[in-house]
Amino acid sequence: MTDDSSPWLIVGLGNPGPEYAGNRHNVGFMVADLLAERLGAKFKTHKARAQVVEGRLGAPGPSSRRVVVAKPMSFMNLSGGPTAALRDFYKVPVERIVAVHDELDIDFGQLRLKLGGGDNGHNGLKSITKAMGPDYCRVRFGIGRPPGRMQVADFVLKDFSSAERKELAFEVDRAADAVETLIVDGLERAQGTYNS
């Protein structure tokens, strides 16, 4: 039974530092930044080695939800530590944790929302699952597969292509909408609307 007073924890995954800001691997940070903008709040440094912003999402009134939007400042493959620390600090049940991350197995511009599951080789998810089990929600942002023989690691640490960048703001906006729908209306409604 979920205590209704506990907030939702939205964790955008990425790597800290300006040199990574436009990388495909940082799309979780991009969505977190937009959600913070929607909350009208600025990120603050939290002792859990993360940047956080608190507020409410959804239409004002009883249906709005208390949220904590976080960007772990630990590098992607260590995201689990800050996520678990924030979970403990804010007393968030695991089913109210949403990880927003890049996903190779989905084409650019597609979203998939799900609860639980494997990490599909994603180091950020691997770290979070190791820290607290797999039963959290994921908003998977498609980035597609690397072209030709490019290594996955090189591909995810490159910026979006110029063609993708034309669409990126729209897709990040859609992903933020998906997170909001998930939190306010539930996973099933969000999946029905956004799982393309």
Side-chain angles (χ1 to χ4, degrees):
M1 184 61 203
T2 303
D3 168 14
D4 239 23
S5 67
S6 59
W8 284 77
L9 174 60
I10 303 158
V11 183
L13 297 184
N15 286 308
E19 67 275 33
Y20 299 105
N23 289 180
R24 292 182 174 92
H25 224 17
N26 269 42
V27 77
F29 274 17
M30 296 173 196
V31 175
D33 286 338
L34 180 59
L35 286 166
E37 209 174 288
R38 289 182 182 185
L39 292 169
K42 296 250 181 282
F43 280 100
K44 293 183 174 65
T45 302
H46 191 278
K47 65 181 182 195
R49 282 184 315 161
Q51 298 270 313
V52 300
V53 61
E54 298 177 49
R56 298 189 81 85
L57 282 176
S63 69
S64 79
R65 301 280 181 264
R66 198 156 77 86
V67 296
V68 177
V69 180
K71 298 191 293 186
M73 291 288 122
S74 58
F75 286 99
M76 179 69 87
N77 57 351
L78 300 170
S79 301
T83 303
L86 289 167
R87 172 202 61 190
D88 296 346
F89 182 84
Y90 289 103
K91 300 181 176 44
V92 180
V94 73
E95 67 275 11
R96 283 196 178 194
I97 296 173
V98 182
V100 184
H101 64 92
D102 56 309
E103 177 61 65
L104 289 159
D105 284 341
I106 306 172
D107 291 337
F108 176 76
Q110 308 266 295
L111 293 172
R112 293 268 193 299
L113 285 74
K114 66 177 198 167
L115 174 64
D119 56 51
N120 213 7
H122 192 290
N123 289 331
L125 295 182
K126 207 174 281 181
S127 176
I128 292 175
T129 298
K130 191 175 166 196
M132 53 187 216
D135 300 326
Y136 52 93
C137 296
R138 297 100 193 274
V139 174
R140 303 157 72 202
F141 188 110
I143 60 168
R145 284 254 156 219
R149 298 209 166 142
M150 188 190 279
Q151 291 296 310
V152 164
D154 296 333
F155 179 70
V156 298
L157 293 176
K158 280 209 171 11
D159 287 0
F160 285 97
S161 70
S162 53
E164 288 167 340
R165 278 200 298 270
K166 290 190 177 81
E167 305 289 320
L168 189 58
F170 171 77
E171 300 304 347
V172 166
D173 194 61
R174 208 167 142 259
D177 288 347
V179 170
E180 211 165 311
T181 304
L182 163 63
I183 286 168
V184 175
D185 299 323
L187 180 61
E188 226 166 276
R189 171 79 59 87
Q191 286 173 321
T193 308
Y194 294 99
N195 280 13
S196 30

